[in-house]
Amino acid sequence: MAVGFAVVDARQYGGRVTAFVALSCVTAAMGGAIFGCDISTAGGVSSMDAFLQEFFPDVYRRLKCAAGVSNYCKFDSQLLTLFTSSLYITGLLTAAVPLYLSEMAPARYRGMFSNGFQFSLCLGALLATVVNYGAEKITGGWGWRLSLGLAGVPAALLTVGAIFLPETPQSLVQQGRDRGEVRALLQKIRGTDDVDQKLDDIVAANAVAQQGDNGLRLILTHRRYRPQLAMAVLIPSFTQLTGINAIGFYAPVLLRSIGMGESASLLSTIVLVIVSSAATFTSLFAADRFGRRTLLLAGGALMLVCEALIGVRAEARRRGGLSRAYSLALLLLIGVYSAAFGCSWGPLSWLVPSEIFPLEVRSAGQSITVASGFVFTVFVAQYFLAMLCRMKAWLFFFFAGWIVVMTAFVYLFLPETKRLPIEHIDKVWAEHWFWKKVIGANEDEASAKL
């Protein structure tokens, strides 16, 4: 068996993609737009002179007047980074959205639907970045208020849309609702009357879940769930250690740190977000065609090359100004890096954890996934500018090292899950060269009891 691969019975259900399920998933994916707006709004206003002058005058003075202060250190302020990292209250929200999308989507298109969360995030970031660019042009210094205010638009849309969102079939079964009600919902979602096999599998999975203990206790104490627990903790953590959110938060600040003007840095950020959004759009189709592993491995390799070259370029120009050629080269590298992330680790870090958990631990597992990701997100947001000041260009080599680790992890330990029904994905671990050894003892104990 090839490293990282597993082969299981890939049962497929009938049906098609209906307008009902597409509209439901588009509405739910609006949660990603909230996240993207928060990231880009915080990063954008943090680079605006009027905002800095109002709330962070020390940073503003260093930016404008401080002679002898390295460009890398002009934005070094724990108070400024606290403003950015404090916006992650939306992580109560992102725990639910990927899980909802993975349960509503047909198995053969689950990658497309689930990756819609990341695409929505990119669109939210693009909206906020365009608003930031326009707000910076407003005379009178109140543009940053417009940026912060408009960040609430996606939240308002999701709040209204959530009123009309249906429950997933899995959720209805867990609530003990009538089988006929669940069948009717499945028929509406799948666009076919032939849903009995799917319904039987959901009911069977729920029966297993009802025999178990508390989901969080199960996933933390039983060897059977060690593979899923490892993925829930490591995949979102690795994603933040690529440095992507550091660039997402602080792209305008980062570009100003290397010498760009306020307006130029915001305009350049718009270009980067458009590139990332286009790459994420391709992942909607590529994840189900080429598989999760292929995208993660290819994306990791390309990100590694770009991160290393960004570090080399930044170190070479560490003490000098910013020439036009250097500016274009740096933007190109960051653009390629963002594109590589957008079609691989960006969407798949939400997709893979949302689809690997059995029903009895699915909610607890998704909560662990989101918590792990946001712990590292807040850490990176809080300390990136301080690390940039102290490590300077070597910070990019630090992130490159983590990309090596996470790419190797995927190659060795992540089995392929494309097009597998969500009720049967747990079987891949028993066929994997490493995880079958981890869960084997637990399976032997269960067999002995029988």
Side-chain angles (χ1 to χ4, degrees):
M1 183 180 295
V3 172
F5 282 94
V7 179
V8 298
D9 175 28
R11 181 182 301 182
Q12 298 291 339
Y13 306 109
R16 56 186 174 83
V17 177
T18 63
F20 175 77
V21 74
L23 184 60
S24 298
C25 289
V26 167
T27 303
M30 190 63 65
I34 298 174
F35 189 24
C37 268
D38 286 347
I39 291 176
S40 292
T41 297
V45 299
S46 296
S47 72
M48 294 182 186
D49 287 346
F51 180 80
L52 294 174
Q53 194 171 9
E54 179 79 20
F55 296 102
F56 305 98
D58 291 341
V59 176
Y60 180 77
R61 283 193 294 270
R62 285 201 302 269
L63 182 65
K64 294 299 182 181
C65 308
V69 177
S70 168
N71 281 342
Y72 289 106
C73 296
K74 289 184 177 179
F75 286 91
D76 182 18
S77 167
Q78 287 298 297
L79 189 59
L80 178 61
T81 53
L82 182 62
F83 160 74
T84 301
S85 58
S86 67
L87 294 176
Y88 282 92
I89 192 172
T90 53
L92 304 168
L93 176 64
T94 50
V97 175
L99 186 60
Y100 183 90
L101 296 175
S102 67
E103 290 187 349
M104 288 290 284
R108 63 184 179 277
Y109 298 120
R110 191 173 56 249
M112 176 187 295
F113 278 81
S114 296
N115 286 355
F117 177 82
Q118 179 71 17
F119 184 61
S120 177
L121 187 155
C122 290
L123 294 182
L126 179 59
L127 171 65
T129 305
V130 171
V131 170
N132 288 339
Y133 181 71
E136 184 269 330
K137 301 292 187 182
I138 296 176
T139 58
W142 58 270
W144 59 267
R145 292 182 172 87
L146 180 64
S147 293
L148 291 175
L150 289 179
V153 172
L157 294 176
L158 179 61
T159 301
V160 174
I163 298 174
F164 305 98
L165 281 179
E167 290 279 4
T168 67
Q170 289 86 345
S171 178
L172 290 181
V173 171
Q174 283 183 307
Q175 295 172 33
R177 304 286 277 273
D178 179 72
R179 183 182 175 95
E181 181 183 355
V182 182
R183 180 186 289 108
L185 177 61
L186 272 172
Q187 291 171 343
K188 192 173 184 180
I189 290 174
R190 299 291 175 248
T192 178
D193 293 333
D194 184 18
V195 296
D196 286 335
Q197 185 181 50
K198 173 71 173 178
L199 180 56
D200 289 342
D201 284 344
I202 295 175
V203 171
N206 183 65
V208 174
Q210 295 301 319
Q211 297 171 7
D213 204 342
N214 174 272
L216 183 60
R217 186 180 296 115
L218 281 174
I219 200 171
L220 293 177
T221 59
H222 284 234
R223 290 171 61 95
R224 174 189 173 189
Y225 307 110
R226 288 291 185 271
Q228 294 95 328
L229 179 60
M231 300 301 162
V233 173
L234 292 176
I235 289 180
S237 303
F238 282 148
T239 301
Q240 303 312 315
L241 290 172
T242 62
I244 187 63
N245 271 355
I247 291 178
F249 297 142
Y250 301 117
V253 171
L254 182 63
L255 293 172
R256 290 201 72 181
S257 295
I258 57 175
M260 276 191 176
E262 180 181 2
S263 182
S265 67
L266 289 172
L267 181 60
S268 299
T269 304
I270 292 177
V271 175
L272 294 177
V273 175
I274 290 175
V275 169
S276 180
S277 300
T280 302
F281 183 76
T282 66
S283 76
L284 300 180
F285 309 96
D288 289 317
R289 175 165 185 163
F290 300 108
R292 284 66 161 150
R293 280 173 49 87
T294 299
L295 293 184
L296 289 171
L297 292 172
L302 189 54
M303 289 163 60
L304 173 61
V305 173
C306 291
E307 192 91 67
L309 289 176
I310 290 171
V312 170
R313 297 290 298 178
E315 177 63 19
R317 295 293 301 176
R318 181 168 65 92
R319 298 182 182 277
L322 184 68
S323 67
R324 179 177 177 82
Y326 171 72
S327 173
L328 292 175
L330 186 63
L331 280 175
L332 177 63
L333 287 173
I334 295 178
V336 175
Y337 169 84
S338 299
F341 180 86
C343 66
S344 61
W345 281 85
L348 296 182
S349 65
W350 298 105
L351 168 61
V352 173
S354 72
E355 67 182 2
I356 61 175
F357 294 102
L359 185 61
E360 64 269 21
V361 295
R362 190 169 296 158
S363 295
Q366 187 64 18
S367 297
I368 293 173
T369 298
V370 174
S372 301
F374 277 91
V375 165
F376 277 85
T377 298
V378 172
F379 175 83
V380 171
Q382 186 63 36
Y383 294 105
F384 171 73
L385 293 179
M387 294 171 68
L388 181 65
C389 177
R390 288 154 183 80
M391 299 176 67
K392 299 180 173 59
W394 288 97
L395 179 60
F396 298 103
F397 296 112
F398 169 81
F399 288 132
W402 281 108
I403 293 175
V404 172
V405 172
M406 64 195 239
T407 304
F409 176 83
V410 168
Y411 180 75
L412 293 172
F413 301 115
L414 180 66
E416 184 55 69
T417 56
K418 72 172 182 178
R419 298 186 179 181
L420 295 178
I422 198 169
E423 290 77 23
H424 298 279
I425 285 182
D426 60 323
K427 296 179 181 179
V428 300
W429 312 109
E431 299 294 330
H432 187 272
W433 71 274
F434 175 78
W435 295 119
K436 68 180 180 182
K437 301 175 185 177
V438 174
I439 67 176
N442 194 60
E443 292 182 341
D444 291 343
E445 292 172 5
S447 299
K449 291 180 181 179
L450 295 175

